[in-house]
């Protein structure tokens, strides 16, 4: 809940605005939780933002301090290793020109460390325990890379090179260090910023100036081609992209966009020529294969259209769902109706929300009706299916930058892999997980921990502006203000003022997101068990939940002055198949809230068993909590992680069932 003092908002001379957030309030029934986020911002009496946070897949709690060290000097504890990563773009020798995220996961216990590369495309980890690891490297505009490695030597750093391939669906708008005057390069970089922001008039002005200074530059010509493609002036786009491709015949990106522009203006011979060159320049990229298949289809060369579509599907897998549409129409045109319908159904299964879905369903119905007609016998191979009613090019995503890659996709935009044929015992999963959450509530009152806060304000493209870290003593307590109600309160010792938090934003309370499954709360949500999935090698039931519109929202809200704005949540939980413990839970807002300028919020929390050998017990406790949020035209990422747990003494007469690890 966000609380803003209205007197400060109205007072033009007030030097700061206080913001207080309470999240996941459980004031009714049996459970209630207090949450506050307090922030102050000093800009013409406008409140910046205060919010909370959310968890992700990682567990950087093991040694967060190892993520911030000097590149030139490495220090590590005895018996631990040092890993130094260098990240390259497309091929070795060309370092990536943006920050990359390094995630190091230990194979045995799935604990994780996170680091970010510096300006020289190098990042590192110190104090790494010896053993087997998997590293995942991600960067905006590139496909993630995974690599297995062994940490065996604590005497010297291990140098590791990672090559990232560009995301074929992301257009690269960066200016390389080619032959271009400093003034032209400056104009081009300003144009890139405008293009990324969608400000086409400003980009046009800057690129016109750059073109006057460097008319033969392939980079400037490509940027102009992209600009005119965005303006849907495909003829002009083709002119500039053709110049860029001629200057650099191995530029698969320029050739692919040139072929697409020619497809848009129905110049199929030109599109075919450009896309055949694009395939030769970057054979592993599925997109030029898909566009080339579309070109063959329009030229009624159905055999080649089928073959290229199959290559695109092999290369791109689920990303290449538009190629299923081309494949289906090619097969239908070849008289292979059953195989064609199967491909079209695959397209619908992979892209159910595509704008062409209804047209594809009508096409399937029409073909099925023809097959069922008596006169269709013996003629299906010679009759041509009405494929012209569906335009495969419309199924391909627009060539835009992944400007929102800083924020994970919404839970409804992700289709987790599920085991086939495994029926979900929905009632048992929800009932047993509720019991585990009741134990979690009890456990929260029994421990203290060291809390590490990782905070990043982000720019408009999701890149970190700066990074700050904090360390707190964390304590949770339970009180019963009224009979039949319980309040869970979190404390951070010695850091109770805004000055103790980055950007004067305090965030608490997100570790109890699992209370959605508490018996006193779960009836406020629609719940559906999606099936048997996997989380870090562990079999888990996946349960989707969504706030019911006919039930009160007691989980998450914002308060401005005296006005309360409930924030409905939807999410997914990963629940172990054997013990019904919630190991991970993610949540998104059901819809944006423009009235308070809260446009997005994505949370994730991870839980795990924490052994206390001296007490001979194991508690299931939160490990990390992360949040990505777009609030009042500011982007933020926060991660709270917990370590060095301390178990409180428990009254000898207190009886409770200890959760098993």
């Amino acid at each position: 809940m966000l609380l803003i003092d209205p007197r400060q908002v109205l007072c033009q001379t007030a030097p700061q605005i206080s913001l207080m957030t309470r999240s996941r309030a459980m004031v009714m029934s049996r459970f209630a939780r207090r949450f506050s986020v307090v922030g102050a911002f000093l800009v013409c009496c406008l409140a910046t933002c205060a919010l909370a946070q959310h968890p992700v897949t990682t567990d950087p709690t093991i040694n967060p301090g190892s993520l911030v060290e000097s590149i030139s000097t490495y220090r590590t504890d005895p018996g631990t290793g040092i890993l130094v990563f260098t990240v390259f773009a497309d091929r070795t020798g060309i370092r990536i020109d943006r920050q990359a995220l390094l995630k190091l996961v230990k194979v045995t216990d799935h604990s994780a460390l996170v680091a970010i590369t510096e300006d020289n495309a190098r990042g590192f980890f110190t104090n790494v325990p010896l053993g087997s690891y998997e590293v995942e490297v991600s960067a905006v505009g590139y496909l993630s890379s995974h690599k297995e490695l062994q940490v065996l030597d604590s005497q010297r750093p291990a140098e590791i090179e990672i090559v990232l391939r560009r995301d074929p669906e992301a257009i690269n708008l960066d200016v390389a260090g080619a032959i271009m005057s400093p003034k032209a390069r400056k104009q081009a970089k300003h144009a890139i910023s405008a293009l990324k922001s969608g400000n086409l008039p400003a980009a046009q002005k800057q690129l016109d100036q750059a073109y006057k200074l460097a008319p033969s530059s392939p980079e400037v010509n490509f940027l102009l081609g992209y600009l005119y493609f965005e303006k849907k002036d495909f003829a002009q786009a083709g002119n500039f992209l053709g110049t860029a491709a001629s200057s650099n015949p191995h530029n698969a990106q320029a050739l692919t966009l040139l072929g697409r522009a020619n497809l848009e203006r129905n110049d199929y011979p030109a599109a075919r020529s450009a896309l055949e060159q694009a395939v030769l320049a970057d054979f592993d990229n599925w997109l030029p294969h898909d566009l080339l298949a579309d070109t063959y289809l329009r030229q009624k060369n159905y055999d080649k259209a089928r073959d290229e579509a199959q290559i695109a599907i092999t290369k791109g897998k689920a990303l290449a769902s538009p190629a299923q549409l081309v494949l289906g129409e090619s097969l239908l045109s070849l008289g292979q109706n059953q195989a064609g319908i199967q491909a079209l159904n695959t397209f619908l299964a992979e892209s159910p929300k595509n704008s062409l879905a209804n047209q594809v369903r009508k096409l399937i119905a029409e073909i099925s009706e023809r097959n069922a007609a008596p006169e269709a016998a013996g003629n299906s191979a010679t009759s041509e299916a009405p494929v012209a009613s569906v335009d495969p090019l419309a199924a391909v995503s627009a060539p835009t930058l992944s400007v929102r890659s800083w924020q994970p996709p919404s839970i409804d935009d992700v289709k987790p892999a599920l085991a086939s044929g495994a029926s979900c015992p929905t009632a048992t999963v929800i009932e047993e997980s509720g019991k585990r959450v009741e134990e979690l509530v009890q456990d929260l009152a029994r421990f203290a921990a060291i809390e590490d806060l990782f905070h990043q304000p982000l720019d408009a493209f999701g890149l970190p502006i700066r990074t700050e870290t904090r360390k707190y003593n964390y304590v949770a307590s339970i009180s019963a203000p009224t009979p039949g109600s319980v309040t869970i309160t979190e404390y951070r010792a010695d850091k109770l003022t805004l000055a103790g938090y980055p950007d004067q934003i305090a965030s608490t309370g997100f570790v109890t997101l699992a209370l959605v499954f508490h018996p006193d709360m779960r009836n406020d949500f629609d719940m559906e068990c999606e099936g048997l999935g996997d989380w870090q090698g562990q079999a888990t039931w996946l349960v989707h939940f969504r706030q019911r519109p006919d039930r009160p929202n007691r989980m998450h809200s914002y308060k401005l002055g005296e006005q309360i704005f409930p924030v409905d949540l939807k999410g997914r939980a990963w629940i172990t198949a054997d013990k019904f413990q919630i190991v991970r839970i993610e949540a998104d807002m059901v819809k944006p809230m423009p009235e308070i300028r809260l446009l997005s919020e994505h949370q994730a929390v991870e839980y795990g068993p924490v052994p206390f050998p001296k007490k001979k017990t194991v508690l299931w406790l939160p490990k990390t909590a992360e949040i990505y949020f777009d609030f009042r035209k500011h982007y933020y990422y926060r991660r709270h992680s917990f370590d060095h747990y301390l178990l409180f003494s428990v009254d000898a007469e207190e009886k409770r069932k200890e959760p098993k690890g």
Side-chain angles (χ1 to χ4, degrees):
M1 182 179 296
L2 184 65
L3 302 160
I4 301 180
D5 187 344
R7 294 170 297 179
Q8 291 177 318
V9 174
L10 296 176
C11 176
Q12 296 298 319
T13 60
Q16 70 177 26
I17 296 206
S18 296
L19 300 164
M20 189 177 289
T21 304
R22 192 181 77 178
S23 177
R24 279 172 278 299
M26 298 178 57
V27 196
M28 302 173 62
S29 186
R30 184 180 171 192
F31 279 88
R33 184 184 60 173
R34 291 180 181 173
F35 168 78
S36 67
V37 171
V38 184
F41 193 55
L42 179 61
V43 173
C44 298
C45 171
L46 292 178
T48 297
C49 49
L51 228 136
Q53 98 268 12
H54 129 220
V56 135
T57 335
T58 55
D59 183 5
T61 60
I62 295 181
N63 190 4
S66 67
L67 307 185
V68 185
E69 294 246 64
S70 168
I71 289 293
S72 58
T73 303
Y74 306 101
R75 300 188 304 275
T76 194
D77 294 337
T80 64
I82 300 172
L83 301 178
V84 181
F85 292 86
T86 304
V87 183
F88 298 95
D90 291 326
R91 62 182 183 273
T92 305
I94 301 179
R95 300 195 180 206
I96 197 168
D97 59 354
R98 63 202 68 185
Q99 282 188 322
L101 179 71
L102 309 174
K103 176 185 173 184
L104 186 68
V105 180
K106 194 171 184 179
V107 173
T108 55
D109 60 5
H110 303 292
S111 57
L113 295 170
V114 175
I116 296 176
T117 56
E118 305 290 340
D119 292 339
N120 59 358
R122 286 166 66 87
F124 62 95
F125 299 94
T126 62
N127 297 330
V128 180
L130 305 185
S132 301
Y133 291 85
E134 179 179 298
V135 64
E136 177 182 347
V137 185
S138 306
V140 174
Y142 290 82
L143 299 174
S144 296
S145 175
H146 295 76
K147 184 181 181 70
E148 295 181 355
L149 51 89
Q150 298 283 331
V151 181
L152 303 174
D153 190 355
S154 61
Q155 301 300 317
R156 58 183 179 180
E159 297 278 352
I160 302 162
E161 295 184 350
I162 300 290
V163 178
L164 297 183
R165 295 186 59 82
R166 291 191 180 273
D167 184 346
E169 293 188 334
I171 293 296
N172 174 31
L173 298 179
D174 296 316
V175 178
I179 301 175
M180 189 188 305
S181 69
K183 188 174 181 180
R185 186 176 293 108
K186 181 179 179 181
Q187 296 287 353
K189 285 187 175 293
H190 285 309
I192 289 171
S193 179
L195 284 170
K196 289 181 177 180
S197 302
N199 189 344
L200 300 186
Q204 177 85 66
K205 181 179 178 180
Q206 300 291 344
L207 286 175
D208 287 344
Q209 294 295 324
Y211 186 76
K212 290 179 182 179
L213 297 169
S216 60
S217 165
E219 287 80 13
V220 172
N221 277 277
F222 175 77
L223 292 172
L224 280 165
Y226 177 82
L227 168 69
Y228 280 105
F229 191 99
E230 288 293 289
K231 296 173 69 172
K232 300 191 183 303
D233 187 342
F234 301 118
Q236 276 285 63
N239 292 334
F240 287 109
L241 292 169
T243 301
S246 298
S247 302
N248 185 0
H250 300 293
N251 187 340
Q253 179 176 242
L255 289 165
T256 300
L257 193 58
L258 173 61
R260 186 166 180 174
N262 289 328
L263 261 179
E264 292 282 3
R265 59 193 186 109
N266 302 326
D267 188 347
Y268 305 137
R272 175 176 174 174
S273 176
L275 292 168
E276 286 176 342
Q277 294 178 66
V279 166
L280 293 175
D282 189 4
F283 185 78
D284 289 331
N285 188 341
W286 70 268
L287 185 57
H289 287 287
D290 173 56
L291 295 174
L292 182 57
D294 192 357
T295 305
Y296 287 142
L297 179 66
R298 294 166 190 263
Q299 292 184 311
K300 299 186 178 181
N301 192 338
Y302 303 125
D303 289 313
K304 285 190 174 182
R306 175 200 58 203
D307 294 343
E308 285 297 325
Q310 289 174 334
I311 293 174
I313 293 167
T314 300
K315 298 293 183 183
K317 297 182 173 58
L319 293 174
S321 62
Q324 295 284 359
L325 182 55
V326 183
L327 176 62
E329 294 189 6
S330 301
L331 293 170
L332 291 175
S333 298
L334 290 169
Q336 302 174 30
N337 291 348
Q338 185 175 358
I341 290 175
Q342 182 178 352
L344 295 178
N345 281 322
T346 302
F347 169 79
L348 291 175
E350 295 179 345
S351 305
K353 297 181 180 180
N354 193 284
S355 59
L356 297 181
N358 287 334
Q359 295 183 46
V360 174
R361 293 188 185 97
K362 290 180 181 178
L363 178 58
I364 293 174
E366 185 175 345
I367 298 300
S368 300
E369 184 178 349
R370 285 190 178 189
N371 291 342
E375 62 271 16
N379 296 330
S380 60
T382 58
S383 62
E384 191 172 280
V387 297
S389 61
V390 180
D391 179 10
L393 187 58
V396 181
S397 301
T400 58
L401 279 177
S402 303
V403 296
R404 293 292 300 242
S405 60
W406 62 276
Q407 179 170 283
S410 168
I411 53 100
D412 287 338
D413 294 334
V414 176
K415 294 180 61 179
L418 299 175
S420 60
S423 59
C424 180
T426 303
T428 301
V429 171
I430 293 176
E431 179 66 26
E432 292 299 321
S433 63
K435 294 178 182 178
R436 302 292 88 77
V437 173
E438 288 184 297
E439 294 172 352
L440 169 65
V441 171
Q442 296 175 354
D443 294 344
L444 285 173
R446 301 179 57 188
F447 85 101
I450 299 298
E451 178 185 23
D452 290 282
L453 172 63
F454 182 88
H455 172 82
Q456 286 183 331
L458 309 173
D459 65 16
F461 311 123
L463 300 176
I465 298 172
R466 69 178 187 279
T467 298
E468 297 184 48
T469 60
R470 297 286 191 276
K471 191 179 291 288
Y472 307 106
N473 294 321
Y474 175 90
V475 180
S477 70
I478 292 181
S479 61
T482 59
S485 68
V486 176
T487 299
I488 300 175
T489 307
E490 298 175 347
Y491 299 97
R492 292 184 176 98
D494 303 325
K495 297 288 184 180
L496 301 180
T497 65
L498 293 177
Y501 297 97
D503 285 333
Q504 295 185 323
I505 301 174
S507 51
T508 62
F510 285 84
V511 296
T512 52
L513 180 60
L515 293 178
V516 166
F517 287 84
H518 192 277
D520 289 343
M521 296 293 294
R522 62 190 179 208
N523 289 335
D524 295 343
F525 296 86
D526 288 322
M527 294 190 177
E528 175 189 2
C529 188
E530 299 172 300
L532 183 65
D534 175 271
W535 180 250
Q536 297 182 342
Q538 189 172 19
T540 55
W541 297 114
L542 272 57
V543 178
H544 185 283
F545 62 88
R546 185 185 180 99
Q547 174 72 43
R548 290 174 51 181
D550 61 336
R551 298 285 297 181
N553 181 337
R554 300 181 287 164
M555 284 296 296
H556 196 27
S557 62
Y558 284 70
K559 184 177 181 182
L560 282 75
E562 297 302 320
Q563 199 169 3
I564 295 177
F565 296 89
V567 179
D568 291 348
L569 295 178
K570 59 181 179 181
R572 175 178 290 116
W574 285 255
I575 302 171
T576 59
D578 54 350
K579 303 297 183 182
F580 302 101
Q581 293 280 10
I582 297 175
V583 292
R584 178 175 176 81
I585 186 168
E586 294 189 26
D588 295 289
M589 302 167 54
V590 171
K591 61 181 179 181
M593 301 188 66
E595 62 269 32
I596 59 174
R597 292 188 286 173
L598 177 64
L599 301 185
S600 69
E601 178 190 280
H602 183 89
Q603 318 170 26
V605 184
E606 287 193 8
Y607 304 88
V610 178
F612 296 91
K614 291 184 179 180
K615 298 289 185 179
K616 297 181 180 180
T617 187
V618 175
L619 300 185
W620 201 268
L621 298 173
K623 293 294 194 70
T624 62
E626 299 179 80
I627 181 172
Y628 301 77
F629 54 100
D630 177 349
F631 184 55
R632 294 192 167 182
K633 299 183 179 180
H634 288 76
Y635 309 110
Y636 294 100
Y637 165 69
R638 276 198 172 186
R639 181 181 67 247
H640 292 248
S641 53
F642 302 90
D643 202 356
H644 298 88
Y645 294 91
L646 176 64
L647 181 63
F648 294 153
S649 297
V650 180
D651 192 332
E653 294 187 6
E654 178 180 344
K655 296 181 180 180
R656 71 182 76 210
K657 180 182 178 181
E658 299 292 350
K660 297 180 181 180

